[in-house]
């Protein structure tokens, strides 16, 4: 068993670390989140631009991206509001989850039935997933920064 002696230097260091952490995301994490969102969205859109498919198919995949991004932001907001005690109706909460799942299902159905190489299908799936995850992180960061800034005023 380790020797558990009192060390005042460690106590001071731990106290400083706890005081320094205020829940605000670091600039590096904020930049990484925005970068991931932009990379995912731009890659997905470049893939669509260069794809050998009809314009209506490109439109379908583009709308699914927009639909998915909006829906995950709604889910993140609803979950966070509930966590913080802000009133969220069950219908809104349910719809937010439903449309998120619907966007994923629509993408899977579209890719499953698409006349694309498996590598192209994987590319669209991964860039879509990256975009959705990054949108959640960006929304969370935005909300955290605003909350902390409002408390510091």
């Amino acid at each position: 068993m380790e020797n558990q002696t009192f060390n005042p230097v460690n106590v001071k260091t731990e106290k400083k670390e706890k005081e320094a952490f205020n829940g605000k995301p670091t600039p590096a994490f904020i930049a990484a989140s925005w970068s991931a969102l932009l990379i995912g969205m731009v890659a997905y859109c470049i893939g669509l631009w260069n794809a050998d498919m009809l314009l209506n198919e490109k439109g379908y995949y583009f709308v699914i991206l927009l639909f998915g991004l909006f829906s995950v932001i709604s889910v993140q907001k609803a979950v966070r509001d509930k966590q913080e005690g802000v009133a969220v109706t069950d219908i809104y909460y349910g719809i937010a989850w439903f449309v998120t799942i619907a966007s994923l299902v629509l993408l899977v159905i579209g890719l499953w039935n698409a006349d694309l190489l498996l590598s192209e299908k994987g590319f669209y799936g991964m860039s879509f997933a990256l975009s959705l995850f990054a949108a959640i992180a960006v929304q969370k960061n935005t909300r955290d920064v605003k909350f902390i800034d409002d408390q510091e005023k």
Side-chain angles (χ1 to χ4, degrees):
M1 188 166 212
E2 286 184 36
N3 184 4
Q4 299 288 331
T5 59
F6 177 74
N7 186 342
V9 174
N10 288 344
V11 171
K12 287 180 183 177
T13 304
E14 288 175 14
K15 188 175 180 183
K16 280 184 183 177
E17 288 174 358
K18 287 180 182 177
E19 288 173 0
F21 179 72
N22 59 4
K24 192 172 187 177
T26 64
F29 185 68
I30 292 170
S33 300
W34 276 103
S35 296
L37 179 60
L38 292 173
I39 289 167
M41 288 176 57
V42 169
Y44 188 94
C45 290
I46 288 172
L48 281 179
W49 183 268
N50 292 317
D52 186 28
M53 59 176 78
L54 298 173
L55 193 55
N56 64 333
E57 291 176 283
K58 290 181 181 185
Y60 173 81
Y61 288 110
F62 183 68
V63 168
I64 287 176
L65 176 65
L66 297 179
F67 185 51
L69 291 172
F70 183 78
S71 67
V72 296
I73 290 169
S74 292
V75 166
Q76 196 281 336
K77 182 184 179 341
V79 168
R80 183 73 176 265
D81 282 351
K82 279 186 147 202
Q83 180 184 25
E84 293 175 355
V86 176
V88 176
T89 63
D90 288 339
I91 190 83
Y92 181 81
Y93 188 73
I95 289 170
W97 274 107
F98 173 77
V99 296
T100 297
I101 294 166
S103 71
L104 293 167
V105 169
L106 288 170
L107 180 73
V108 168
I109 290 170
L111 291 176
W112 185 272
N113 293 302
D115 188 25
L116 298 171
L117 296 173
L118 191 55
S119 59
E120 290 176 296
K121 292 178 181 184
F123 167 79
Y124 286 115
M126 292 307 295
S127 59
F128 186 78
L130 175 63
S131 298
L132 295 190
F133 177 79
I136 293 168
V138 166
Q139 165 65 13
K140 182 189 177 309
N141 290 342
T142 302
R143 187 160 177 164
D144 288 347
V145 167
K146 181 172 179 359
F147 179 77
I148 301 274
D149 287 348
D150 287 350
Q151 285 202 337
E152 290 176 353
K153 289 181 182 177

